């Protein structure tokens, strides 16, 4: 598999008098590792992703190319393509459409079912680009201008800074648990609650007036209401707050044993890039926000939620779309 793809690319580049070179190397699993063996910058890597695209008129597949040091913002990609939803294709679909294994997909499409889109950064940030040419053990380094001239791709903007890695930060939920271990191979809706004090204790008027701060009970009641629908989609609901363990436990019990994480020291703020706030008397807490996490990767964020009672239905609608 993929030798034919390599041959096609080389043939096209030679026929169009492109400035390129071929590098043979050991197969590498990560973009950073293959950049080292190529002797190139990570940003020169042209990373290709096969995606499902769904809009009002049709469904189609897209080969989306971006710099290897960036992440694909699927929401931005959907907006650029006027699509209702964009998602990553399955390994089987990737193999069938590209005739390549993961990691070896070049920024070329030889399948009429696979439409090519390239983020502008691939063409603008470096004079040369590098990519695996259909094979994990062969790379091509070529002029970005030649690539643009030969391929004539549809250029859009969908790359973003990569999400922070989920580290082994610890949290208290009866015992210390590694976050990475908890989230691995799971689908989770992490609901961050701006809970400050004791369960059922009212906030002072000034603190309660902050937009979106009050309403934790209403929000959790809605998640409880839609519990079975989230479960049917394979998602577990976990709430996070700065309540101490005992108060977090009591709050969770009030909502059908809602799983709670007690994080008094805000240890998860940095690894998950969570927004925090502070009162005048120096009480720290999480702003109201919700993360959708799949296989230890954050795939969607709902930030600064101002209407807590609507959050569960909005998250559910996104997951069903």
């Amino acid at each position: 598999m993929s030798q034919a793809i390599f041959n096609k690319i080389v043939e096209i580049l030679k026929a169009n008098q492109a400035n390129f070179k071929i590098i043979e190397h050991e197969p590498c699993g990560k973009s950073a590792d293959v950049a080292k063996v190529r002797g190139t910058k990570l940003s020169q890597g042209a990373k290709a992703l096969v995606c499902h695209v769904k809009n009002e008129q049709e469904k189609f597949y897209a080969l989306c190319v971006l710099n290897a040091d960036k992440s694909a913002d699927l929401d931005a990609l959907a907006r650029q393509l006027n699509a209702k939803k964009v998602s990553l294709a399955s390994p089987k679909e990737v193999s069938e459409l590209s005739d390549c294994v993961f990691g070896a997909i070049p920024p070329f499409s030889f399948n009429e079912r696979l439409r090519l889109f390239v983020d502008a950064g691939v063409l603008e940030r470096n004079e040369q680009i590098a990519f695996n040419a259909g094979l994990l053990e062969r790379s091509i380094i070529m002029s970005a201008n030649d690539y643009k001239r030969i391929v004539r791709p549809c250029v859009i903007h969908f790359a973003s800074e990569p999400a922070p890695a989920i580290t082994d930060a610890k949290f208290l939920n009866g015992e210390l648990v590694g976050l990475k271990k908890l989230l691995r191979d799971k689908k989770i809706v992490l609901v961050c609650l701006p809970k400050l004090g004791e369960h059922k204790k009212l906030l002072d008027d000034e603190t309660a007036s902050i937009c979106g701060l009050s309403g934790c009970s209403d929000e959790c009641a809605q998640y409880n209401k839609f519990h079975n629908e989230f479960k049917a989609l394979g998602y577990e609901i976990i709430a996070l707050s700065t309540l101490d363990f005992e108060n977090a436990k009591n709050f969770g019990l009030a909502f059908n044993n809602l799983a709670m994480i007690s994080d008094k020291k805000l240890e998860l703020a940095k690894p998950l890039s969570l927004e925090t706030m502070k009162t005048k008397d120096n009480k720290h807490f999480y702003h109201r926000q919700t993360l959708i996490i799949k296989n230890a990767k954050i795939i969607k964020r709902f930030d600064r939620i101002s209407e807590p009672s609507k959050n569960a239905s909005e998250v559910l609608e996104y997951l069903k779309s």
Side-chain angles (χ1 to χ4, degrees):
M1 180 183 285
S2 302
Q3 180 65 48
I5 297 296
F6 173 79
N7 293 340
K8 284 182 182 179
I9 294 172
V10 172
E11 182 181 345
I12 289 171
L13 297 184
K14 286 182 176 179
N16 286 276
Q17 299 181 324
N19 179 15
F20 74 100
K21 65 178 178 179
I22 299 168
I23 297 178
E24 295 192 7
H25 53 77
E26 290 296 318
C28 298
K30 296 182 179 180
S31 297
D33 293 335
V34 74
K36 288 180 181 179
V37 299
R38 290 173 183 153
T40 58
K41 296 185 295 184
L42 179 59
S43 64
Q44 288 180 260
K47 178 170 60 177
L49 304 174
V50 179
C51 300
H52 286 285
V53 181
K54 178 182 178 183
N55 59 31
E56 296 294 337
Q57 291 78 34
E58 61 177 341
K59 296 179 182 179
F60 62 91
Y61 292 100
L63 183 65
C64 303
V65 182
L66 68 161
N67 299 92
D69 64 341
K70 297 290 185 179
S71 291
D73 183 336
L74 298 186
D75 289 335
L77 185 56
R79 290 192 296 271
Q80 290 277 296
L81 301 180
N82 295 316
K84 183 178 179 182
K85 184 178 181 180
V86 174
S87 58
L88 296 178
S90 69
K92 181 180 179 181
E93 290 169 319
V94 170
S95 177
E96 291 175 351
L97 292 163
S98 69
D99 192 33
C100 298
V101 297
F102 273 116
I105 305 170
F108 292 77
S109 175
F110 299 105
N111 189 326
E112 61 182 13
R113 297 172 58 206
L114 192 58
R115 304 180 193 177
L116 178 64
F117 300 92
V118 177
D119 185 81
V122 174
L123 306 175
E124 297 171 355
R125 293 177 61 196
N126 297 284
E127 292 184 0
Q128 292 184 316
I129 62 171
F131 53 88
N132 280 91
L135 298 164
L136 290 173
E137 63 274 12
R138 288 186 192 172
S139 291
I140 286 178
I141 300 175
M142 67 175 295
S143 160
N145 286 335
D146 280 347
Y147 173 76
K148 182 179 180 180
R149 171 176 62 85
I150 295 167
V151 178
R152 297 182 180 180
C154 178
V155 181
I156 57 177
H157 298 81
F158 65 93
S160 65
E161 294 300 321
I166 297 176
T167 67
D168 276 322
K170 305 293 184 180
F171 62 85
L172 184 66
N173 191 7
E175 60 179 338
L176 289 174
V177 182
L179 182 63
K180 185 183 290 186
K181 181 179 179 181
L182 174 78
L183 300 184
R184 187 182 298 128
D185 300 325
K186 284 193 175 185
K187 296 193 290 186
I188 289 172
V189 175
L190 184 67
V191 184
C192 302
L193 304 173
K195 296 291 290 181
L196 284 169
E198 298 177 4
H199 175 44
K200 294 187 177 181
K201 182 178 179 180
L202 297 177
L203 301 173
D204 61 82
D205 292 341
E206 181 181 358
T207 305
S209 67
I210 299 174
C211 182
L213 186 54
S214 60
C216 294
S217 295
D218 290 340
E219 183 174 16
C220 291
Q222 290 300 305
Y223 273 103
N224 193 25
K225 175 182 176 181
F226 296 119
H227 172 79
N228 289 337
E229 293 186 58
F230 280 106
K231 186 176 180 180
L233 294 170
Y235 278 86
E236 180 181 354
I237 308 300
I238 298 179
L240 167 69
S241 80
T242 54
L243 290 174
D244 62 34
F245 175 68
E246 196 61 35
N247 279 296
K249 179 181 177 182
N250 290 336
F251 185 81
L253 287 172
F255 294 97
N256 195 28
N257 288 320
L258 174 68
M260 292 288 298
I261 295 174
S262 169
D263 186 19
K264 290 187 68 175
K265 296 181 180 179
L266 295 101
E267 293 182 74
L268 302 186
K270 185 175 181 179
L272 296 181
S273 293
L274 297 174
E275 185 177 2
T276 63
M277 295 182 69
K278 183 170 67 172
T279 60
K280 288 184 177 180
D281 57 352
N282 282 327
K283 290 181 179 178
H284 284 76
F285 57 96
Y286 285 113
H287 209 292
R288 192 178 303 281
Q289 57 211 296
T290 298
L291 309 185
I292 300 177
I293 301 172
K294 184 177 180 180
N295 298 336
K297 291 185 178 180
I298 300 168
I299 63 171
K300 178 68 175 177
R301 309 182 76 102
F302 295 80
D303 295 317
R304 289 190 169 242
I305 297 164
S306 59
E307 297 184 87
S309 62
K310 295 182 179 180
N311 179 240
S313 58
E314 290 172 347
V315 173
L316 191 59
E317 182 180 358
Y318 173 83
L319 293 176
K320 288 181 175 180
S321 65

